[in-house]
Amino acid sequence: MKTRITELFGIRHPIIQGGMHFVGLAELASAVSNAGGLGLITGLTQKTPELLAKEIARCRDMTDKPFGVNLTFLPTFASPPYAEYIAAIAEGGVRIVETAGRSPEQYMPALKASGIKVIHKCTSVRHALKAQQIGCDAVSVDGFECGGHPGEDDVPNMILLPRAADELSIPFVASGGMADGRSLVAALALGADGMNMGTRFVATKEAPVHPNVKQAIVDASELDTRLVMRQLRNTERVLKNAGVDALMAVERAKGAEIGIADIRDFVGGVYPKVMVEGQMDAGAWSCGMVAGLINDVPSVADLLGRIVREAEDIVSRRLSNLIGESALVVD
């Protein structure tokens, strides 16, 4: 399956593994790349640029296929040493970076000088257009369904993707609600050049997370996510658990007066507890509504193979049969 995304990144399938904290390690990134997609190491999970360099080298030992690094620009006072992270990425021979969070504009000269292709995650058409303007090579358009931060516009992908297709000239992938061949065909039909999956890749054999996390996703339905931090305009979609229930109780009690300090215990330092130790009620961790479509924990290779076969079958059989001999011919 050829699209502008497969040609841009030199991959077989237009499927990207999104950056995920304490999930995007070499084991998962290399498995996705080996299976024909684009795997991503999550840069800031590595506490220093030196550790990121080691993780890149580790991934390089596991695959000879293209892979990238996710670099999230955080709205914090004590920013990570982004220039040093970018240097580690470039020196490691990585030529694809997924940026997220705040605009990467400040760092685009350094990225482009190193020959790095940039795909930026956006939750609105206006942000996607800005990414295009500053020189990003592609964008990941995240609908309201997505796990993590869906922005504040609450626009689902059935609207957001065709709007992006109307406005953008650079390639883009659909993110949020993506899990199978149906998702891929729908994304392509709506104008995207591929899809980005996060939650679906957590529930795979190679994902380096605690088995409790994978089982929680398999057990969850599409009704089991919650939106937190809305009053702070830092909305995050997370999986419902006891810690999230407690967080939301604080939000209700504080109302408009809430500050980040009031909920810090429920959102800070949660990922090592959940992803490594399997403490499922430790607090808020990102999960998409797509959990309702996830019923197993396959290998990454089996998952991508299944997605591509299903997508090809939908296009070649079901959709073509719908047209068939009964198609209207309009002169």
Side-chain angles (χ1 to χ4, degrees):
M1 186 177 290
K2 281 188 176 181
T3 72
R4 293 187 297 172
I5 283 293
T6 62
E7 293 180 353
L8 177 65
F9 295 133
I11 55 180
R12 282 174 50 216
H13 307 311
I15 300 170
I16 298 175
Q17 166 240 319
M20 295 172 284
H21 206 31
F22 280 84
V23 181
L25 303 179
E27 289 84 356
L28 180 58
S30 62
V32 174
S33 292
N34 283 332
L38 179 66
L40 294 176
I41 294 169
T42 305
L44 295 187
T45 295
Q46 306 302 320
K47 298 301 183 184
T48 67
E50 292 76 18
L51 288 174
L52 176 58
K54 290 180 180 179
E55 193 69 10
I56 290 170
R58 208 163 68 87
C59 193
R60 186 78 63 199
D61 287 340
M62 298 179 186
T63 183
D64 60 358
K65 303 295 191 296
F67 66 90
V69 173
N70 163 278
L71 201 55
T72 297
F73 296 106
L74 302 169
T76 60
F77 292 107
S79 292
Y82 287 115
E84 295 175 28
Y85 275 101
I86 292 170
I89 292 167
E91 289 166 10
V94 175
R95 294 297 176 259
I96 303 167
V97 166
E98 176 194 62
T99 56
R102 303 185 78 175
S103 171
E105 184 170 10
Q106 176 183 349
Y107 300 97
M108 287 297 291
L111 290 164
K112 303 311 286 185
S114 297
I116 292 172
K117 295 183 175 71
V118 178
I119 177 169
H120 185 59
K121 295 191 77 170
C122 306
T123 59
S124 70
V125 173
R126 64 185 181 280
H127 292 148
L129 286 169
K130 177 64 175 178
Q132 177 175 274
Q133 177 195 332
I134 65 174
C136 291
D137 300 277
V139 291
S140 174
V141 177
D142 287 22
F144 186 54
E145 308 93 327
C146 72
H149 298 279
E152 308 301 325
D153 293 342
D154 299 0
V155 180
N157 268 328
M158 282 294 288
I159 307 301
L160 190 59
L161 297 178
R163 281 287 299 117
D166 287 345
E167 299 285 347
L168 294 170
S169 59
I170 59 174
F172 71 96
V173 296
S175 182
M178 304 290 119
D180 53 28
R182 296 170 298 180
S183 309
L184 179 55
V185 173
L188 296 173
L190 292 171
D193 300 282
M195 68 180 184
N196 177 301
M197 299 195 303
T199 303
R200 173 66 271 196
F201 275 126
V202 180
T204 58
K205 290 179 180 177
E206 291 89 345
V209 301
H210 197 282
N212 290 353
V213 178
K214 303 178 187 185
Q215 192 61 48
I217 292 172
V218 170
D219 291 342
S221 81
E222 68 275 15
L223 303 177
D224 289 326
T225 67
R226 297 291 182 268
L227 296 171
V228 298
M229 296 190 287
R230 299 226 82 177
Q231 299 100 317
L232 299 173
R233 295 191 63 78
N234 188 33
T235 301
E236 183 178 6
R237 187 179 296 282
V238 300
L239 190 67
K240 174 178 164 50
N241 60 51
V244 169
D245 289 343
L247 186 163
M248 296 182 74
V250 174
E251 290 184 328
R252 287 191 295 271
K254 291 283 186 176
E257 303 301 316
I258 196 167
I260 189 65
D262 297 313
I263 59 171
R264 191 180 306 278
D265 289 346
F266 304 110
V267 297
V270 169
Y271 278 83
K273 296 175 183 177
V274 173
M275 300 299 172
V276 179
E277 300 171 19
Q279 298 182 37
M280 304 315 300
D281 292 323
W285 56 280
S286 297
C287 181
M289 295 175 77
V290 75
L293 298 177
I294 298 172
N295 303 303
D296 63 354
V297 183
S299 70
V300 167
D302 285 346
L303 175 63
L304 264 64
R306 187 168 75 194
I307 288 171
V308 172
R309 287 192 302 272
E310 183 182 16
E312 290 175 346
D313 184 68
I314 291 170
V315 173
S316 64
R317 294 176 183 268
R318 183 170 185 270
L319 295 184
S320 63
N321 289 341
L322 288 177
I323 298 174
E325 295 179 1
S326 64
L328 292 176
V329 178
V330 180
D331 291 331

